Amino acid sequence: TPTVPPGTMLRTVLAFACVAGAAAFSSPALLGVSRASRTSATSGLKMQDKSYAMPFLSRPPALDGTMAGDVGFDPLGFSNYFDLKWLREAELKHGRICMLGCLGFITQEKIQLPLPGFGNKVATEAFFSVPAGGLWQIFFTLGAIEVLSNGGKLSPGDMFAEGRAPGDLGFDPLNLSGDDAALRRFELAELKHGRLAMIGLGGMLHQMLLTKQAPLEQLANFQPLQ
């Protein structure tokens, strides 16, 4: 029985693999598939049922695209159990806090108060050097802002009873909401910046915990983990 050289066998397998890969991207007409079975109406209905952010998952029923930044991303199904406005309020508040936090991390690295306990540039270490009284002041101040900004209404059932939009605290010193089109644009911009800041703040926290360096210092003098 003739023996097939290993090189010939490998080239044959690769050739068949290339043909199979090309067939996967070929036009349905070339493969003999009827176009009548792929109508635009059916495709449109299928796309509506799928999440825009994760096309391999179904779109959550509550995420109908009416809210700014809604791309159908809810892999854990929170929108099936919690009020959507309450979830958006929480997302906006976390995003705003993280935007301030990212700015604070970078500012604190370059500017420190000339007082004892404020000289550490690494935020994860500086937190534990702040006097207990200062931490309690921050805690009560944030709590007061949370209660007063919502008029004491903190539950999903009464927070929006008066028609308040999620995240709308009546703070608009530059009158950016004067134009409806501009308001929609700024709503989306704030949401995207907030989401990016949440990811960025988490990255900086982990970076400082692992490298013991402040963000700008770590960028200028990168040191791999030992």
Side-chain angles (χ1 to χ4, degrees), residues 116 118 127-142:
F118 289 92
F127 175 83
F128 297 99
S129 63
V130 176
L135 295 178
W136 281 113
Q137 289 177 13
I138 297 173
F139 176 78
F140 283 116
T141 300
L142 294 178

Side-chain angles (χ1 to χ4, degrees), residues 194-213:
R195 290 170 175 173
L196 182 61
M198 286 188 278
I199 298 175
L201 189 75
M204 285 192 281
L205 282 172
H206 284 82
Q207 170 259 319
M208 285 186 283
L209 289 171
L210 293 174
T211 65
K212 309 301 180 183
Q213 293 177 290

Side-chain angles (χ1 to χ4, degrees), residues 15 23 30 38 56 64 75 77 90 92 100 106 108 116-117 142 153 163 173 213:
L30 296 178
R38 301 192 178 194
F56 51 88
D64 56 3
L92 284 171
L100 292 174
I106 297 175
Q108 178 221 355
L142 294 178
K153 300 176 180 180
Q213 293 177 290

Side-chain angles (χ1 to χ4, degrees), residues 136-178:
W136 281 113
Q137 289 177 13
I138 297 173
F139 176 78
F140 283 116
T141 300
L142 294 178
I145 294 174
E146 180 71 12
V147 174
L148 296 176
S149 62
N150 293 313
K153 300 176 180 180
L154 302 177
S155 69
D158 60 7
M159 184 178 289
F160 308 102
E162 299 177 358
R164 183 178 68 85
D168 183 6
L169 304 179
F171 181 77
D172 187 14
L174 300 179
N175 194 29
L176 299 177
S177 60

Side-chain angles (χ1 to χ4, degrees), residues 65-86:
T66 56
M67 277 191 169
D70 178 9
V71 291
F73 181 81
D74 185 19
L76 299 181
F78 287 130
S79 61
N80 297 327
Y81 306 100
F82 301 98
D83 181 73
L84 197 60
K85 291 184 178 180
W86 191 67

Side-chain angles (χ1 to χ4, degrees), residues 30-102:
L30 296 178
L31 297 177
V33 178
S34 173
R35 291 182 179 271
S37 62
R38 301 192 178 194
T39 62
S40 58
T42 303
S43 300
L45 290 174
K46 289 182 178 180
M47 290 302 296
Q48 290 177 6
D49 293 336
K50 295 298 182 181
S51 166
Y52 181 78
M54 308 178 73
F56 51 88
L57 294 180
S58 298
R59 176 181 59 82
L63 301 182
D64 56 3
T66 56
M67 277 191 169
D70 178 9
V71 291
F73 181 81
D74 185 19
L76 299 181
F78 287 130
S79 61
N80 297 327
Y81 306 100
F82 301 98
D83 181 73
L84 197 60
K85 291 184 178 180
W86 191 67
L87 293 174
R88 173 51 58 88
E89 178 90 1
E91 181 182 23
L92 284 171
K93 286 184 176 180
H94 283 81
R96 290 166 180 173
I97 291 173
C98 288
M99 284 190 282
L100 292 174
C102 291

